[in-house]
Amino acid sequence: MKKLITIILVAFSIMSCTKDKSSAYDVEEVFPSSEEMLAQFQKALDAGSSHWEAILNPNAGKTYNLYFQLAKDGKVPSLADLTVKSAKDTKAATYRLEGKATHASLIFSAGTYLDDILHKEGFRNVGADTSYAFESMKGDTLILRGNRFGDELKLISLKAEDVSKYETGMLRNTFGYLSEFFESRRFFYFIAEGNIPVQFIIDPETRSIRVLYVENKQLKFSTTDYAYGIEKIRLKTPLRIGSQIISDLNFDTQKKTFYLQKNQASRYDLLGASLPVIPLHIMLGEEVSPILSMPSPIFIEELPGWSTSFRDVWMEATNKLFSERSFYLLVMAFELNTKANILDLKLYFQRGSSIFLGTFPFSFEKTDAGVYTLKRLPFEAGSIPHANAEFIEPSVAGLIGLFPDKQYTIDYYDAGDNVIGQFKSVDQAELYFTGEFGSYFE
């Protein structure tokens, strides 16, 4: 399972918020003639400080934060949030304005960080637009549209104090804030209104954020891309928390913590945790593998979290399977079909170089609190795994007998280097065991 930097939050209604690309602005109509459009564009540029924060949303995906200084002599130093280096070392190029019959454009020469922004589109790499048509404006923000790929570019005029933040390399600091904070603990969370758990997963490799939460007993999720800003992470698509819109993940340089701004007076600080806060029984088959595998502590690996009672039963089955059938018991795996409420209890056993599979079918019922009640199902005629299970059942009857008409919970277990799953018997408090997520053999 790919390791991600994870934050665990606690929930509220979170949805991706989608709008028309210009709907967040009171659009001023562009002028009908190219001369008027170009004059208005030039006026807008001249009204700015010549230093611009740029938010690039390529049509092919992702989002980026850039900095441009559009000097009057046509030169344009740039920064970008692609890497630590690109966030502190400027690249110099030129720009020009051009008026055509239908639009006025801002055109960048080769040499800006726009050249380094690439996306996969099928089997080819697609770059970012370098020519942008003036589309609309409001206050200190210009909206432009790429003439080739349709990329959206927002130019926001910077005040003097914000210019110095870019020019002194503060954009690069956010890379360090993110890695240091989210690598300090395995999971992160916060408590929001309603006390509903939410998981927040951030992946720097794909520049994406995924949030998961429980609503009406069902797992919900939302995904968005992000860009690095000055002491913040800017979300490409805002997340809706109830009636509240969240666009940024901010960093408090004094407390050294990331937080979401609830309103002007309060915020949600992120807190570290060793285990997720969304129950495992809700995550299984959705965000977590529905297979939990218990390897032999003799032949493969000894996992923590096995009770003496369970280990004794396992050892009895191991010894009898070998003495009566000449097989080595390697793995027991639980494979849950959470849609059909079917559980296959699989035993993998070996003789010589051959590994065999015996499958014992069960159905299950699950309460809202995550208590599973298991019911044995009959073997199916013609099924080789079922026939194998029937053949070895006399030797492993004690192990299989732990589950029919019994109740178990499944929860997380902190195994030190990773998180695994743990079954606990509701009927016998001394009976519990752990398993790793995923299959050893499939």
Side-chain angles (χ1 to χ4, degrees):
M1 181 182 295
K2 181 180 178 181
K3 182 178 180 181
L4 303 179
I5 299 175
T6 55
I7 314 168
I8 305 237
L9 309 157
V10 264
F12 28 70
S13 304
I14 294 185
M15 301 169 56
S16 292
C17 178
T18 56
K19 294 186 178 182
D20 179 83
K21 290 179 172 137
S22 297
S23 64
Y25 299 87
D26 296 330
V27 176
E28 298 179 9
E29 298 293 336
V30 294
F31 290 81
S33 72
S34 61
E35 292 81 4
E36 288 176 314
M37 284 190 291
L38 185 59
Q40 178 68 3
F41 194 13
Q42 183 67 65
K43 181 180 178 181
L45 289 174
D46 291 342
S49 66
S50 81
H51 298 269
W52 301 82
E53 181 179 69
I55 301 173
L56 175 65
N57 295 320
N59 204 33
K62 302 303 173 185
T63 184
Y64 301 92
N65 192 29
L66 299 97
Y67 164 79
F68 294 119
Q69 180 185 357
L70 301 178
K72 295 187 182 299
D73 61 2
K75 294 181 180 179
V76 54
S78 65
L79 295 170
D81 70 338
L82 301 174
T83 64
V84 172
K85 180 176 174 57
S86 70
K88 67 182 180 67
D89 296 340
T90 59
K91 288 179 69 174
T94 61
Y95 77 96
R96 60 188 172 88
L97 301 181
E98 182 180 272
K100 292 188 176 181
T102 57
H103 60 270
S105 294
L106 171 62
I107 302 171
F108 295 95
S109 71
T112 70
Y113 279 111
L114 290 170
D115 300 339
D116 299 330
I117 297 174
L118 298 173
H119 299 89
K120 281 286 186 183
E121 191 172 89
F123 295 101
R124 66 192 184 102
N125 286 321
V126 176
D129 273 308
T130 55
S131 173
Y132 293 87
F134 175 53
E135 196 171 79
S136 61
M137 66 175 293
K138 181 186 178 182
D140 60 358
T141 301
L142 306 179
I143 310 297
L144 300 95
R145 185 71 55 189
N147 288 320
R148 183 179 181 187
F149 301 118
D151 298 347
E152 179 190 68
L153 183 68
K154 296 179 183 179
L155 293 179
I156 305 166
S157 181
L158 291 173
K159 298 178 182 179
E161 59 268 28
D162 295 319
V163 172
S164 65
K165 292 178 181 178
Y166 278 101
E167 293 186 339
T168 56
M170 288 184 63
L171 180 59
R172 68 176 174 178
N173 295 344
T174 307
F175 285 83
Y177 297 150
L178 186 142
S179 62
E180 182 177 351
F181 182 78
F182 291 120
E183 289 176 4
S184 64
R185 296 294 297 274
R186 183 179 288 145
F187 301 104
F188 291 84
Y189 72 97
F190 73 80
I191 305 297
E193 293 179 8
N195 199 31
I196 305 170
V198 173
Q199 185 166 325
F200 191 100
I201 304 169
I202 186 166
D203 184 359
E205 291 186 15
T206 61
R207 298 170 64 103
S208 64
I209 287 173
R210 183 172 176 82
V211 294
L212 303 104
Y213 60 100
V214 179
E215 182 180 79
N216 297 325
K217 304 174 186 178
Q218 298 295 317
L219 184 66
K220 305 292 183 180
F221 63 88
S222 181
T223 302
T224 186
D225 297 319
Y226 73 82
Y228 295 85
I230 303 293
E231 297 175 356
K232 69 173 63 177
I233 298 296
R234 188 194 308 278
L235 308 185
K236 180 178 182 180
T237 304
L239 300 175
R240 185 182 296 276
I241 304 174
S243 60
Q244 182 179 2
I245 299 295
I246 298 294
S247 301
D248 299 321
L249 182 65
N250 302 291
F251 187 72
D252 186 326
T253 57
Q254 298 299 317
K255 293 185 177 182
K256 305 296 182 183
T257 186
F258 277 94
Y259 65 92
L260 298 171
Q261 195 71 47
K262 179 181 178 182
N263 51 48
Q264 290 184 348
S266 61
R267 70 189 199 183
Y268 303 120
D269 283 8
L270 300 183
L271 305 172
S274 58
L275 294 173
V277 296
I278 296 182
L280 179 56
H281 70 88
I282 293 177
M283 298 282 278
L284 284 171
E286 299 289 344
E287 295 295 315
V288 175
S289 171
I291 303 173
L292 283 97
S293 298
M294 297 81 208
S296 167
I298 301 172
F299 305 120
I300 298 180
E301 179 184 6
E302 184 169 3
L303 295 180
W306 284 27
S307 68
T308 301
S309 297
F310 179 77
R311 185 183 174 87
D312 289 345
V313 175
W314 179 281
M315 294 306 299
E316 180 187 21
T318 297
N319 293 333
K320 291 184 70 174
L321 186 60
F322 181 75
S323 62
E324 297 173 3
R325 296 286 190 268
S326 298
F327 290 116
Y328 295 102
L329 177 58
L330 300 181
V331 171
M332 177 173 70
F334 290 84
E335 184 171 335
L336 292 87
N337 182 331
T338 57
K339 305 301 182 185
N341 282 23
I342 297 295
L343 182 150
D344 283 338
L345 192 163
K346 298 182 175 183
L347 293 186
Y348 294 88
F349 48 98
Q350 182 176 14
R351 177 187 290 165
S353 60
S354 299
I355 296 177
F356 303 89
L357 167 64
T359 299
F360 298 83
F362 287 79
S363 65
F364 68 85
E365 295 178 353
K366 181 172 75 74
T367 68
D368 293 341
V371 176
Y372 293 79
T373 301
L374 308 182
K375 299 287 185 180
R376 183 74 181 268
L377 296 177
F379 292 121
E380 294 180 3
S383 168
I384 294 176
H386 285 195
N388 289 343
E390 190 172 13
F391 176 70
I392 66 170
E393 185 166 8
S395 300
V396 296
L399 183 60
I400 302 304
L402 295 176
F403 305 106
D405 302 314
K406 301 296 194 301
Q407 291 185 320
Y408 285 85
T409 60
I410 311 175
D411 209 342
Y412 304 103
Y413 183 88
D414 188 349
D417 292 338
N418 63 336
V419 174
I420 58 180
Q422 184 176 58
F423 286 73
K424 286 186 177 180
S425 171
V426 175
D427 310 294
Q428 299 174 263
E430 72 279 4
L431 186 63
Y432 50 87
F433 55 94
T434 56
E436 295 181 308
F437 296 111
S439 174
Y440 276 78
F441 299 106
E442 296 178 6

